[in-house]
């Protein structure tokens, strides 16, 4: 029974990995100026693979380390969004945003290896910084017309739904599942970070 359960776990993880690599091959990081109201805002964070993976990772990290990481993530989203809306940009933002996924995943993997959670200030700061990077991208893409409020409300609702759903799901599963998910996220984050470099050398 244990052997079958382990085989099923790895089969599901392998299937998820294959799906992830298919998604990575899509134009996931095509960030540009967004438009529309509530519906467009809701779809924005979940149709970009990099944003979606980070939201899943934040929920998983919160389930493993502390639920308070969700609040740190929210703070990072607000600060990053405001910075992006005010015109803040940084070089290699797409690469850094992808690496932020791997950073959150490594937080989980390190906690799993050490058998203990990191300090809340360290874990929370890392999650807040990772989300702030993505929030800044959102802020730079957000509409600036009358639809802006609805767009931001939709983006926030989708982000809370994905991270919160990931948190609740992973809390119901054995910790090893969270570690396996973190390993997958770490690999996918690295793959997304390398994707723009592949375009540059063609």
């Amino acid at each position: 029974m244990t052997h079958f359960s382990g085989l099923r776990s790895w089969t599901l993880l392998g299937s998820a990995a294959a799906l992830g690599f298919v998604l990575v091959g899509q134009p996931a990081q095509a960030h540009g100026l967004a438009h529309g109201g509530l519906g467009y805002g809701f779809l924005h964070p979940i149709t970009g693979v990099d944003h979606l993976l980070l939201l899943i990772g934040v929920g998983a990290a919160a389930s493993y380390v502390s639920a308070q990481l969700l609040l740190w993530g929210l703070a990072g989203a607000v600060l990053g969004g405001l910075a992006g809306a005010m015109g803040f940009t940084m070089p290699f933002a797409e690469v850094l945003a992808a690496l932020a996924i791997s950073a959150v995943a490594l937080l989980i993997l390190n906690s799993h290896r050490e058998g203990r959670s990191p300090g809340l200030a360290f874990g929370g700061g890392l999650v807040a910084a990772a989300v702030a990077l993505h929030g800044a991208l959102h802020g730079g893409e957000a509409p600036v017309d009358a639809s802006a409020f609805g767009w931001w409300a939709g983006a926030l609702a989708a982000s809370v739904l994905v991270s919160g759903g990931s948190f609740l799901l992973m809390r119901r599963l054995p910790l090893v599942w969270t570690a396996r998910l973190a390993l997958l996220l770490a690999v996918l984050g690295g793959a997304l970070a390398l994707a723009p470099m592949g375009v540059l050398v063609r």
Side-chain angles (χ1 to χ4, degrees):
M1 181 69 176
T2 303
H3 174 73
F4 175 75
S5 178
L7 179 62
R8 184 177 60 179
S9 298
W10 283 109
T11 300
L12 290 172
L13 182 63
S15 300
L19 175 62
F21 281 110
V22 169
L23 292 174
V24 168
Q26 304 304 311
Q29 295 178 307
H31 296 291
L33 186 63
H35 58 87
L38 184 68
Y40 285 98
F42 185 87
L43 290 174
H44 189 77
I46 59 179
T47 53
V49 174
D50 54 343
H51 294 316
L52 179 62
L53 292 178
L54 180 71
L55 292 172
I56 292 171
V58 168
S63 76
Y64 202 102
V65 177
S66 169
Q68 293 184 44
L69 291 190
L70 293 173
L71 297 178
W72 284 84
L74 179 60
V78 171
L79 292 175
L82 287 173
M86 293 171 62
F88 173 79
T89 59
M90 63 173 49
F92 306 108
E94 300 283 0
V95 174
L96 292 173
L99 291 177
I101 301 166
S102 296
V104 172
L106 290 175
L107 176 69
I108 300 170
L109 290 172
N110 187 64
S111 299
H112 188 69
R113 183 176 61 86
E114 296 286 333
R116 59 186 175 85
S117 297
L120 186 58
F122 175 79
L126 189 150
V127 166
V131 176
L133 279 170
H134 285 253
L137 287 173
H138 284 313
E141 299 158 0
V144 293
D145 55 19
S147 67
F149 180 79
W151 189 92
W152 278 110
L156 178 61
S159 299
V160 169
L161 182 65
V162 174
S163 287
S166 174
F167 168 77
L168 293 174
L169 175 62
M170 301 316 295
R171 282 284 288 261
R172 298 177 64 88
L173 295 173
L175 291 179
V176 68
W177 276 85
T178 309
R180 290 172 183 170
L181 173 62
L183 180 59
L184 176 61
L185 291 174
V187 171
L188 292 178
L192 284 170
L194 292 173
M197 298 180 189
V199 172
L200 291 176
V201 298
R202 284 179 185 175

